[in-house]
Amino acid sequence: MVDPLRERDEAVAALELVGRAAEPYLRSLPDRLVHDSAHDVLLDELDGPLPEVGEGTVAGVERLLRVGTTAATHSAGPRFFHFVVGGATPAALAGDWITSLLDQAAGLWATSPLAARAETAVLRWLKELFGLPEAWGGVLTPSATLAHVSGLACARYWWADRHGVDVTARGLAGLPAMPVLSSGYVHVSTRKALQILGCGRDTLRVFARDETGRVDLVAMEAALAEVGGPAILVGNVGEVNTGDSDPIEALADLAERYGAWLHVDGAFGLFSALSPRTAHMSRGVERAASVTVDGHKWLNVPYESGF
C-alpha cells in the first residue's frame, strides 16, 4: 500500500538533492569540456539487469546526479556549439521544473485551464513578435518535425479537398501524389513530416539553381504550370548549413499566382524577423498558409511552434 506521507517526504528529499547539485554544476559549465570521454566508464553504472527490488527514490536520484553531472554532454554550457541548440535560459530551466512539479494533463481545457491559457497567451505573443496575422491559429509541439506535421497536415487536407476528397475520412487512397516543391534548402524534417503523413518522403521535388541550393524560381514556376492544379510550396528561412533563406515574398507571389499552399519552414531562421539587419530573410512570411519556428534555436526555450 502506498504511504502518501512517505512519498511526499521522498519527493522533497529528491528535489533538495537536485537543487543542491544544480548550483555547483551550473557554475562549473564555463570551465568544463563539453564531453570528456574519460568519464564514459561511469555510464556502465546506469546499466545492468533489472533488479528484483528498486534502490529507492533518493538513492536512484543520487546515482543519476553523480553519473550525469560528470559524464553528460554539457550542452547547457557556453562551450557547446553543435546541433544549433544552446543551454536553457534560467527562466526556461525553472519553468521546466515547475512543469514537472505541477504535472498537468495539458491537452485539453477540461484537464488544465492553466496549461491551455498559458499556451494561448504564448502563441498570441509569438504572432505579435513575428508580425503574423492575429486570426491565425497555432499549437506548441514537441519538435520541429511535428510542427511540420501539423502545418503540412493542414496542407494535405486543403489539397485533398481541392480534389473533392475528405482525406480525414477517406485517406489518400485513389488520390494522385501530392505535389510538394521546394528549394535545395529544404530540411530533412520536412521530408520526414511528409513520410509520417503518408505522402512519401521522396515525392518532394527540389528546384535549385546551384550546388548551394538556392531556389530556381523559373523552373519551379514551370513545374507549377505543369501540375495545373493545387500544389504545396515549401519555403525555408535560415538553412542550417549556409544560414541563407529562400525569397519568401517571391514564393508567396508564386503561390498566389498558381493557387498553391505556401508552408514556411522557419525553424532555424524566423527570429531573423526581429532585427532590422536580418528582417529581409523572412519578409513575406505573413502571406504563408502555415509556418513553423523553433524556440530553442534562437531563444533557448523548450518548444517548437506551428502556425
Side-chain angles (χ1 to χ4, degrees):
M1 184 176 178
V2 175
D3 182 346
L5 294 179
R6 180 181 175 185
E7 280 202 332
R8 181 200 63 190
D9 292 343
E10 286 185 340
V12 170
L15 290 173
E16 287 177 345
L17 279 174
V18 177
R20 288 197 299 269
E23 192 274 337
Y25 177 71
L26 292 172
R27 287 190 181 279
S28 73
L29 289 176
D31 302 315
R32 284 178 180 257
L33 294 175
V34 169
H35 179 72
D36 187 347
S37 59
H39 296 307
D40 286 352
V41 65
L42 291 174
L43 300 176
D44 293 339
E45 296 187 34
L46 303 179
D47 205 348
L50 178 69
E52 291 291 334
V53 179
E55 60 186 13
T57 299
V58 173
V61 170
E62 283 179 333
R63 182 194 299 198
L64 186 58
L65 279 171
R66 179 172 50 79
V67 173
T69 55
T70 303
T73 299
H74 304 301
S75 50
R79 305 175 71 180
F80 182 80
F81 298 105
H82 201 13
F83 297 114
V84 293
V85 295
T89 64
L93 177 59
D96 192 53
W97 288 17
I98 293 170
T99 298
S100 297
L101 173 67
L102 299 180
D103 193 23
Q104 300 291 282
L108 301 169
W109 176 274
T111 56
S112 178
L114 167 68
R117 187 62 178 272
E119 180 177 22
T120 301
V122 167
L123 290 168
R124 186 179 70 252
W125 293 343
L126 288 171
K127 286 185 287 185
E128 292 177 10
L129 191 66
F130 299 125
L132 300 176
E134 183 181 353
W136 279 16
V139 63
L140 299 180
T141 69
S143 70
T145 296
L146 290 179
H148 288 319
V149 168
S150 300
L152 291 172
C154 295
R156 183 187 63 170
Y157 182 89
W158 167 87
W159 171 80
D161 185 64
R162 295 302 185 275
H163 287 277
V165 172
D166 181 349
V167 72
T168 305
R170 288 182 45 190
L172 293 168
L175 285 167
M178 185 173 76
V180 184
L181 292 67
S182 189
S183 73
Y185 291 157
V186 66
H187 190 261
V188 65
S189 58
T190 298
R191 293 185 182 275
K192 188 161 47 172
L194 291 169
Q195 175 184 336
I196 292 169
L197 290 168
C199 298
R201 178 190 62 200
D202 296 334
T203 58
L204 184 145
R205 297 173 63 188
V206 168
F207 297 86
R209 56 187 168 87
D210 56 29
E211 293 183 359
T212 303
R214 294 182 182 91
V215 65
D216 186 335
L217 289 171
V218 174
M220 183 178 282
E221 182 166 10
L224 283 171
E226 183 181 345
V227 169
I232 314 300
L233 301 183
V234 177
N236 307 278
V237 179
E239 199 271 336
V240 295
N241 295 305
T242 67
D244 196 13
S245 295
D246 288 327
I248 301 303
E249 282 194 310
L251 292 177
D253 289 341
L254 278 182
E256 186 175 304
R257 193 151 59 241
Y258 289 90
W261 179 288
L262 175 58
H263 173 76
V264 172
D265 174 5
F268 189 62
L270 193 57
F271 282 93
S272 62
L274 307 188
S275 169
R277 292 188 304 165
T278 56
H280 64 278
M281 295 173 62
S282 55
R283 192 169 293 126
V285 69
E286 72 283 351
R287 298 171 59 193
S290 55
V291 177
T292 67
V293 57
D294 275 14
H296 70 269
K297 296 209 170 67
W298 284 66
L299 282 186
N300 297 329
V301 293
Y303 292 105
E304 286 75 17
S305 307
F307 295 98

